[in-house]
Amino acid sequence: CSTGSLTGNGTTNYVAKYGTASTLGTGLLYDNGNGVAINTTIPLASFDVQVSTSTAIASISGRAAKAALIVDNSGTGDIFTASTSGLTRFVITQSGNVGIGSSAPTKTLDVNGTAAISGALTAGTVNGNTITTGTGTLTLGTNTLTVSGTSSINQNVTTTGTPTFGTVNTGQGAYELYAMNQDVQTSSTVSFNSLSLTSQLTVANGG
């Protein structure tokens, strides 16, 4: 630079910054024409930040009438992915499926692991091998509780409707509802298509 103009040295592909009001130096941003990066000269994306720090890598703070962060991917890749050391922990796919502990969720919410819900859970259909209520209560509305295969009900059953059982076999036969080792309470009628017992059946309260 000529006398009276800006002076200074830089590094190829690094965006220059002012060291003083009249001196240019090397900045933090690296731009090779294909990607912009911080702390790396090999950007793995259009914008790549690779740092090791005891504070947050990125922070967004503001006050807006719309979403604080908008991500719009019109391609075929995932909308968002979070990982640790390359292992996917959380993903939102192009179809809108959310995976926790799964990199390829097949349901709207796909959790590979355990879940704890302290509030109310409302579900249209619950499918699974085991439903455990612990010391709480499993409450069903006007729908049906279906137990199939070699399964068991080992908790108290209380209903104001009409419970109907296809087969009750306390001998624990194959493909039957068995091992009802707790009370069944109802203010209506109990119907059995078939009832097979290997021990005593006691009906209380004049039933």
Side-chain angles (χ1 to χ4, degrees):
C1 298
S2 60
T3 302
S5 301
L6 294 175
T7 61
N9 297 314
T11 303
T12 302
N13 288 338
Y14 277 89
V15 178
K17 72 172 184 178
Y18 283 97
T20 66
S22 59
T23 304
L24 286 175
T26 300
L28 184 65
L29 289 176
Y30 177 85
D31 183 357
N32 63 3
N34 296 314
V36 176
I38 295 178
N39 206 44
T40 179
T41 58
I42 307 175
L44 302 178
S46 298
F47 181 55
D48 188 4
V49 179
Q50 299 184 27
V51 296
S52 178
T53 177
S54 59
T55 61
I57 296 175
S59 176
I60 299 176
S61 178
R63 184 176 182 179
K66 296 184 178 181
L69 177 64
I70 297 176
V71 179
D72 185 6
N73 182 8
S74 58
T76 59
D78 294 333
I79 297 173
F80 181 83
T81 300
S83 62
T84 54
S85 301
L87 180 62
T88 299
R89 301 296 189 181
F90 179 86
V91 64
I92 303 176
T93 66
Q94 186 62 228
S95 62
N97 289 347
V98 175
I100 300 177
S102 171
S103 60
T106 59
K107 305 296 183 182
T108 304
L109 177 60
D110 193 338
V111 179
N112 182 17
T114 60
I117 300 175
S118 59
L121 173 63
T122 302
T125 302
V126 178
N127 296 318
N129 295 326
T130 303
I131 299 177
T132 303
T133 61
T135 58
T137 302
L138 175 62
T139 303
L140 302 177
T142 58
N143 296 318
T144 303
L145 171 63
T146 302
V147 182
S148 59
T150 306
S151 306
S152 62
I153 297 178
N154 294 319
Q155 298 295 325
N156 294 341
V157 178
T158 303
T159 177
T160 58
T162 303
T164 301
F165 302 97
T167 301
V168 175
N169 187 337
T170 59
Q172 302 181 8
Y175 302 105
E176 295 167 339
L177 174 66
Y178 68 84
M180 291 189 62
N181 299 322
Q182 301 295 328
D183 298 335
V184 176
Q185 304 175 34
T186 178
S187 60
S188 187
T189 303
V190 180
S191 300
F192 300 99
N193 292 336
S194 175
L195 178 61
S196 176
L197 301 175
T198 59
S199 59
Q200 182 179 0
L201 171 66
T202 301
V203 179
N205 298 329

